[in-house]
Amino acid sequence: MFSTVLSRVLSALMKYMRSYIIFPEVGDLATVKGDFYALGHIPNIIGAIDGTHVALVPPKESEQVYRNRKSYDSMNVQVVCLADQYISHVNAKFPGSVHDAYVMRNSSIPYVMKQLQRHRVWLIGDSGYPNLSWLLTPVRNPRTRAEERYNEAHGRTRRIIERTFGVLKARFRCLHMTGGSLMYSPKKVCHIIVACCMLHNLALRRQVPFLQEDGPDGGVVAAVEPVESEEEEDDGDDTDNRDTVIQQYFQ
C-alpha cells in the first residue's frame, strides 16, 4: 500500500520538477555572482558542483555496477547549488561506480554553461573534475603564494556544496547512510532523490527553519565524500581562465 502511494506522489512531483529546480537565468546572474563572491572572493561564480552517494539495494543482475569506491551500493548524484544552498540542478541517473566527471559530461550542464559563456561565468568544483573554460577547480600542487591564496578562496567557496548536501541529507534521512539503503528500483530511487531536492528548495523558499538537531548527534550530517583521484592535470584541461583569475585577483 505504501509503495503504491509513494509511486503516485513521486509521479505527481516529477511533473513539477522544472518549477522547483531552476538554473539561474541571465537576469539573475549578477545577484548570484555577488552571493558567491561574498563566500570566497572569486568572481563570476554561479554555482558549486559536486557529487554525493545515496545508498540503495541494487538489482541482483547488475549489483557490481552500483558498487562505489567506498565499497557499498549507491546512486551517484550530481548537484549544482547556489550560495544560499538552493539546488539549481540535479542529475541522479548514474550508478555509484561512475566517476563524477563522467556524470557531469553526460548531463545538461556542459550545454547550459556553454550557452552562458558570453557572460563570462563559471561553476566551481573539486579536483575530481577537469578544469574547463566554464569550470574552475583547485590547483594541484600549488607552487606560488598566489596559487595557495586561490586554493584557499576556492575551498571557502566550494564548501557551500558540502553544506547543501549535509542539510539535504539531514532533512531527508532516507538519503543518508544512517537511514539505511533505499529498497526500491534504481528508477524509483532517482525519483525519490529528485523529489527530496525539490522539497529542499521549497523549504528554503518558504523559509522553513532547519534545526541543527535534525542531524545525528545534534549536527549537520557529513555528506560529501572526498574524491580519491591520483590523476594529474592533462592536456584536456583548460587552465587559461583559472590562470587569469589567479593573476588578477590573488597576486
Side-chain angles (χ1 to χ4, degrees):
M1 181 64 179
F2 174 78
S3 182
T4 300
V5 173
L6 177 62
S7 296
R8 291 176 179 174
V9 170
L10 291 174
S11 179
L13 285 172
M14 292 306 102
K15 295 177 182 178
Y16 296 95
M17 180 182 69
R18 297 185 185 279
S19 297
Y20 289 94
I21 300 177
I22 307 168
F23 209 78
E25 298 181 353
V26 171
D28 300 323
L29 293 182
T31 299
V32 173
K33 289 190 293 184
D35 292 342
F36 269 106
Y37 188 80
L39 296 180
H41 291 181
I42 299 180
N44 301 328
I45 301 298
I46 64 167
I49 186 170
D50 204 353
T52 188
H53 291 270
V54 174
L56 82 165
V57 177
K60 291 290 186 182
E61 64 275 10
S62 55
E63 182 175 359
Q64 203 58 34
V65 176
Y66 292 88
R67 186 60 51 88
N68 63 37
R69 291 180 179 82
K70 298 295 183 179
S71 298
Y72 68 91
D73 301 312
S74 67
M75 298 298 297
N76 188 346
V77 184
Q78 175 190 271
V79 165
V80 178
C81 76
L82 304 186
D84 63 354
Q85 302 178 20
Y86 178 90
I87 293 173
S88 59
H89 168 86
V90 59
N91 187 347
K93 66 182 180 181
F94 288 97
S97 62
V98 175
H99 193 274
D100 286 353
Y102 181 88
V103 176
M104 180 270 293
R105 289 191 181 100
N106 288 274
S107 70
S108 61
I109 286 298
Y111 173 80
V112 171
M113 290 304 297
K114 286 175 182 177
Q115 297 302 304
L116 293 173
Q117 277 304 279
R118 65 187 179 90
H119 299 284
R120 198 169 176 263
V121 294
W122 300 298
L123 297 182
I124 192 166
D126 65 21
S127 58
Y129 293 97
N131 200 82
L132 303 171
S133 61
W134 47 266
L135 175 58
L136 296 179
T137 61
V139 176
R140 297 175 191 255
N141 305 314
R143 296 178 176 85
T144 67
R145 182 61 188 131
E147 291 179 344
E148 291 174 353
R149 284 194 288 266
Y150 165 80
N151 276 2
E152 291 165 3
H154 189 285
R156 290 195 302 271
T157 306
R158 201 193 72 84
R159 201 169 296 136
I160 192 62
I161 188 70
E162 300 177 10
R163 174 74 181 178
T164 299
F165 283 139
V167 171
L168 175 69
K169 291 189 172 186
R171 284 190 188 276
F172 304 99
R173 194 59 52 79
C174 64
L175 303 183
H176 191 262
M177 288 292 291
T178 58
S181 299
L182 288 168
M183 302 178 67
Y184 300 101
S185 69
K187 181 178 180 179
K188 183 173 282 190
V189 169
C190 293
H191 288 173
I192 290 171
I193 294 166
V194 173
C196 290
C197 291
M198 292 171 61
L199 294 173
H200 165 83
N201 284 350
L202 182 61
L204 289 179
R205 292 300 181 250
R206 297 289 178 87
Q207 299 183 331
V208 177
F210 172 75
L211 303 177
Q212 293 290 331
E213 293 78 10
D214 289 343
D217 301 321
V220 176
V221 293
V224 177
E225 299 171 357
V227 175
E228 297 177 354
S229 174
E230 298 179 354
E231 299 176 3
E232 295 294 328
E233 291 172 348
D234 56 33
D235 293 337
D237 278 354
D238 182 351
T239 60
D240 289 346
N241 282 329
R242 186 177 67 190
D243 291 343
T244 299
V245 169
I246 293 171
Q247 292 169 9
Q248 291 184 353
Y249 293 90
F250 296 98
Q251 288 290 356

